[in-house]
Amino acid sequence: MTATESADKALAPSLPPATRELIRGRPLLTTLACCLLSFALFWCAQRLANVTMIDLMVYRAEGWAARAGADLYAMRATEARLPNTYPPFAALLFMPLTLLGVDEMRTLATAGNLALLVVLVHLTLRLVGRPLWWPRPAVALTLASAAVWTEPVWTTLRYGQINLLLAVLVLWDLSRRPGDAGYRWAGLGIGMAAGLKLTPALFAVLLAVAGTVRGWQRLRGRRTGPPDRTGPASAGRADGTGRTGFWNPLLRQSLTACAAFLGTALLAAVALPRDSRRFWTEVMFSTDRPGLVEQTANQSLRGALARLLHTPDPGLWWAGAAAVVAVAGLAAGTAALLAGLNAWAAVACAMTALLVSPVSWSHHWVWCIPLLVLLGSETLHRSGLRVWRVWRAVTAASALLFCSYALWWVPHTPGARAELRQNGAQMLLSAGYPLCGAAFIGLTAVVAVRALRRRAATAAGAVPAAGAGSGAVTGVGAGAGRRQAVAKE
């Protein structure tokens, strides 16, 4: 099968021949027009819904408080009297918002978030090694035009949140490869994201754990796959040289992330010493500060347990469950990194962070976009009709979950605390995201363990190298392997 025939096969067979020819001839122009149309409709829908972008107004208030030297964590913003829950470094970055009028600020924030959505899809495609034949910007625009209608993205733009920025910073790091511009600074994005909101710090923990395991394997002369090329940011000098030192690119990237995070904390401590002291000694431990735990919007493990147990304080149930999920998520992510399944590791770590966080509002789940892109990529990669149908069903069910807005189908009147009186069906609807996240962690573990076994068998000479449809070629560097496989068909 030629490259052109493969590209034609990838097109939707239901499209008219003239339409398919137009897409093939000018993919970037066509997809850009479709994306702009979708974004314009989205913009109009948000304005018709009279969105307030209330969180953006809180960010602006934080910027004003930092400029005026007011107490960041005593302020209350908007009519809802919302508090500041972010580290003080975020207030420094929000100061430029005070230079804009409210209307201009909202317009720029919406446009910026839409641009970040395209970048997020582009980085995800890079991480999973897709597409094979079509220009990546064109595919990114196509997927972004659909992703903008998912519930987490809709809610992120509705509130004017920074979730897309955080995800882009993290994926910028995890998608770096040797020779890329800025490769030596990989880890900086994770550190800055953690300086803005603490949950992305779990990615640095994952890199440290995986780097430690890899270091011990190198010291003991054992490897689970191609040396160091399987990391999210691997150094070419160690590839194939036979060196067995403990230091490796995963540890370097984790150290860079930690250094960047400490830099944000030190900068904030110099500029806002009183606020920094209060945040790190008091505010950080106030898990109820963001709002009522049992709210439907809280799609963390703690929120799901609060609704399940009909109590605003799950207590030890949450602590125990969060510990189990954290260990399982880090173990699955580590196994995926060591197997070269970097996209799986990134999304599994994101799911873990969202689950164990005391509060994960539904708009924090913009990581559903990388999740859906990854599942879709794996569906295209699988061979065998039965296996392909299973993966297609999993991908479709996940897309339906994040596009259905099902968590809002249950009673959720503000202040009424109706979530504490949910029945079984309502609890199931309002726990969709946590269930999906937990299931994905389990799926990651299965896929990673199989890939590790396959690599071990290949290294021992028991089986030939995995080819197309095996699921072993995934993540950074997977594109070349898939191109060879398709070329052989």
Side-chain angles (χ1 to χ4, degrees):
M1 181 181 294
T2 66
T4 303
E5 290 171 341
S6 298
D8 285 339
K9 185 178 179 180
L11 287 170
S14 59
L15 294 177
T19 304
R20 277 186 286 173
E21 194 63 31
L22 175 62
I23 295 176
R24 286 188 57 227
R26 297 181 178 179
L28 186 59
L29 182 62
T30 305
T31 55
L32 177 61
C34 293
C35 185
L36 290 177
L37 176 60
S38 179
F39 283 2
L41 293 174
F42 176 88
W43 198 312
C44 292
Q46 290 244 313
R47 293 301 171 266
L48 291 174
N50 195 28
V51 297
T52 60
M53 304 187 76
I54 191 171
D55 288 344
L56 184 63
M57 300 303 296
V58 176
Y59 299 159
R60 192 169 189 260
E62 292 177 35
W64 276 116
R67 282 185 58 180
D71 191 333
L72 271 177
Y73 300 104
M75 57 153 275
R76 293 293 185 271
T78 73
E79 295 180 356
R81 298 189 59 78
L82 298 177
N84 174 23
T85 60
Y86 291 180
F89 175 70
L92 298 178
L93 295 189
F94 293 150
M95 288 175 64
L97 297 178
T98 63
L99 305 177
L100 302 171
V102 173
D103 292 338
E104 292 82 359
M105 178 184 66
R106 289 174 173 169
T107 299
L108 288 176
T110 302
N113 267 326
L114 292 174
L116 285 170
L117 176 61
V118 177
V119 175
L120 175 63
V121 177
H122 178 85
L123 291 176
T124 304
L125 289 170
R126 175 186 174 88
L127 193 59
V128 302
R130 293 281 183 177
L132 299 182
W133 305 110
W134 293 97
R136 185 172 295 150
V139 177
L141 289 169
T142 301
L143 296 179
S145 65
V148 72
W149 298 99
T150 59
E151 190 276 336
V153 175
W154 170 278
T155 313
T156 287
L157 274 80
R158 173 188 176 186
Y159 294 136
Q161 267 280 344
I162 60 171
N163 306 302
L164 290 169
L165 173 61
L166 300 178
V168 165
L169 286 172
V170 171
L171 284 187
W172 185 89
D173 279 346
L174 298 181
S175 62
R176 295 300 95 191
R177 289 177 286 181
D180 289 346
Y183 163 72
R184 66 175 60 187
W185 301 107
L188 184 64
I190 293 174
M192 291 191 64
L196 288 168
K197 189 179 287 188
L198 295 179
T199 48
L202 191 65
F203 286 94
V205 176
L206 172 66
L207 292 170
V209 173
T212 300
V213 174
R214 174 168 292 170
W216 282 112
Q217 288 176 342
R218 293 176 62 182
L219 285 177
R220 299 177 64 179
R222 298 185 309 182
R223 303 189 183 194
T224 57
D228 293 328
R229 282 198 302 269
T230 59
S234 51
R237 72 177 186 84
D239 290 347
T241 63
R243 298 180 182 179
T244 57
F246 184 82
W247 184 253
N248 60 79
L250 293 172
L251 289 175
R252 179 195 59 77
Q253 189 168 348
S254 177
L255 183 62
T256 302
C258 292
F261 173 67
L262 291 176
T264 65
L266 289 174
L267 176 61
V270 172
L272 305 168
R274 177 192 59 195
D275 298 312
S276 295
R277 182 173 59 253
R278 184 177 178 189
F279 178 82
W280 296 112
T281 60
E282 177 186 345
V283 175
M284 184 176 69
F285 303 101
S286 301
T287 56
D288 293 331
R289 185 179 178 89
L292 298 177
V293 173
E294 75 275 5
Q295 290 184 73
T296 296
N298 183 13
Q299 290 293 297
S300 70
L301 186 62
R302 187 177 181 221
L305 286 174
R307 294 186 291 270
L308 176 64
L309 301 175
H310 303 293
T311 174
D313 183 16
L316 292 178
W317 286 101
W318 168 61
V324 171
V325 170
V327 172
L330 288 175
T334 297
L337 275 181
L338 296 178
L341 307 179
N342 307 317
W344 284 91
V347 179
C349 186
M351 296 297 106
T352 304
L354 291 167
L355 287 171
V356 303
S357 176
V359 175
S360 292
W361 303 125
S362 67
H363 51 75
H364 294 169
W365 286 77
V366 292
W367 281 95
C368 71
I369 305 304
L371 183 150
L372 293 174
V373 172
L374 173 59
L375 291 179
S377 174
E378 291 296 323
T379 301
L380 295 175
H381 183 50
R382 300 291 162 169
S383 60
L385 182 59
R386 180 177 299 178
V387 173
W388 178 77
R389 283 177 175 174
V390 171
W391 279 89
R392 184 181 64 172
V394 171
T395 304
S398 301
L400 180 62
L401 170 65
F402 291 105
C403 293
S404 65
Y405 297 64
L407 73 162
W408 299 114
W409 297 356
V410 303
H412 56 275
T413 304
R417 312 199 77 165
E419 291 90 345
L420 294 177
R421 301 183 296 274
Q422 289 183 351
N423 58 38
Q426 292 170 340
M427 284 189 288
L428 185 62
L429 287 173
S430 63
Y433 294 3
L435 290 174
C436 178
F440 184 86
I441 292 173
L443 181 60
T444 300
V446 173
V447 171
V449 168
R450 287 182 176 178
L452 286 173
R453 289 176 177 174
R454 192 158 41 238
R455 286 174 180 270
T458 301
V463 296
S470 68
V473 184
T474 308
V476 175
R482 288 201 181 102
R483 289 187 184 93
Q484 293 174 3
V486 174
K488 293 177 182 179
E489 291 182 359

